[in-house]
Amino acid sequence: MTILEVKGVQKIYTTRFGGNQVKALENVNFSVEAGEYVAIMGESGSGKTTLLNILASLDRPTKGSIMLDGMELTSVKEGEMAAFRRKNLGFVFQEFNLLDTFSIKDNILLPLVLDKQNVKEMMEKVEKVAASLGISDILEKYPYEVSGGQKQRAAAARAIITEPKLLLADEPTGALDSKSTDGMLKIFSEINEKGQTILMVTHSTKAASHAKRVLFIKDGEVYHQLYRGDSSVEGFYEKIADTLTVFSKGN
């Protein structure tokens, strides 16, 4: 079943001074099936961050259609957007975006609190998701008291506790050391194996190699894709690296 369908998406920005137009996205088309794990790769300025912001409903396309589980994102009213995001989307950011004045537990619970869910059910959910991500022992600590890897696990817990239709990740390993990166990528794979649909933007070939499909974006368009298929993570890494090398030479 198709969970996300992007058709003919274009994004043009008009500069404040001079009225010059900058085309960030040209004609983006792709779909994501429920349960897929897709990585989007591209150089800085390729349009991948703009695309992620549009998929996250943080920005609107100049034209085109984005369907999430049968709902047109551009039709969601501004006043309903925050509630729509909480119910349908999960986010994992490079810089964690945790609140230092909240404990790890309260950070994870925040989207459920905003959604005014039952307290008992919220506590059951946070205990379950914390256990699955191996952070039960730090729930009462604050973000400044834990490691980068633990912060990212907390951010992942906050993202999946609402059981979102789509998990969006923006460079989720960008601020982590090698060991924490390995742990985070393992968690993403485990979350995906349980049925969570994931769309990740990354510069990292290592991170992308854990996905099941990679979309390559350049000059505002998706120009190539690779499927992992039966390849190992190591084998897929080589395929991605070779593809990036070829396209960097302009072939």
Side-chain angles (χ1 to χ4, degrees):
M1 183 184 81
T2 301
I3 193 78
L4 177 69
E5 189 162 8
V6 179
K7 288 185 177 180
V9 166
Q10 181 188 74
K11 181 64 180 181
I12 298 174
Y13 293 103
T14 302
T15 57
R16 183 178 299 178
F17 302 106
N20 294 325
Q21 291 191 332
V22 177
K23 192 174 288 186
L25 297 175
E26 173 61 38
N27 182 32
V28 177
N29 297 278
F30 69 93
S31 61
V32 176
E33 298 297 305
E36 264 202 290
Y37 183 176
V38 179
I40 297 178
M41 299 192 77
E43 297 178 351
S44 295
S46 62
K48 63 184 186 301
T49 300
T50 298
L51 177 60
L52 187 72
N53 286 339
I54 288 173
L55 296 177
S57 302
L58 299 173
D59 198 358
R60 290 184 181 266
T62 303
K63 70 176 184 179
S65 171
I66 303 165
M67 300 288 289
L68 178 63
D69 198 23
M71 177 178 288
E72 174 59 59
L73 264 62
T74 58
S75 69
V76 180
K77 297 177 181 178
E78 286 293 337
E80 301 170 352
M81 194 59 76
F84 173 83
R85 291 191 201 101
R86 286 198 302 272
K87 291 180 182 297
N88 295 282
L89 301 170
F91 304 92
V92 179
F93 302 96
Q94 178 177 343
E95 298 299 333
F96 320 127
N97 286 15
L98 299 174
L99 300 173
D100 276 339
T101 54
F102 280 27
S103 67
I104 296 296
K105 179 194 286 185
D106 288 341
N107 268 283
I108 297 170
L109 283 171
L110 186 57
L112 302 184
V113 173
L114 293 173
D115 209 31
K116 299 178 181 179
Q117 293 195 16
N118 176 273
V119 173
K120 182 181 178 182
E121 291 178 359
M122 286 195 297
M123 293 305 155
E124 290 174 352
K125 287 179 180 179
V126 75
E127 289 173 7
K128 182 179 179 181
V129 73
S132 70
L133 296 182
I135 53 173
S136 298
D137 58 333
I138 64 166
L139 287 178
E140 301 305 327
K141 292 187 177 182
Y142 289 81
Y144 55 82
E145 297 179 310
V146 303
S147 69
Q150 289 172 321
K151 287 179 185 177
Q152 196 59 299
R153 286 173 184 245
R158 181 184 58 192
I160 65 173
I161 197 168
T162 59
E163 300 178 358
K165 292 173 182 173
L166 180 64
L167 176 62
L168 298 170
D170 183 12
E171 299 285 3
T173 62
L176 303 178
D177 59 29
S178 180
K179 183 178 179 180
S180 296
T181 291
D182 290 341
M184 195 69 240
L185 293 175
K186 181 181 178 183
I187 285 171
F188 266 51
S189 293
E190 290 172 350
I191 292 171
N192 175 247
E193 289 301 320
K194 293 177 182 177
Q196 177 64 60
T197 308
I198 302 174
L199 187 66
M200 171 177 64
V201 164
T202 183
H203 280 99
S204 167
T205 302
K206 180 176 183 177
S209 68
H210 284 72
K212 294 177 180 176
R213 178 163 57 116
V214 178
L215 301 176
F216 298 89
I217 189 169
K218 183 178 182 180
D219 298 329
E221 293 188 75
V222 175
Y223 66 94
H224 190 63
Q225 65 178 335
L226 285 177
Y227 286 87
R228 189 164 88 184
D230 296 328
S231 298
S232 64
V233 170
E234 293 76 16
F236 199 33
Y237 180 100
E238 294 298 329
K239 288 182 181 179
I240 296 168
D242 289 345
T243 299
L244 291 172
T245 299
V246 168
F247 283 109
S248 69
K249 293 178 179 179
N251 296 330

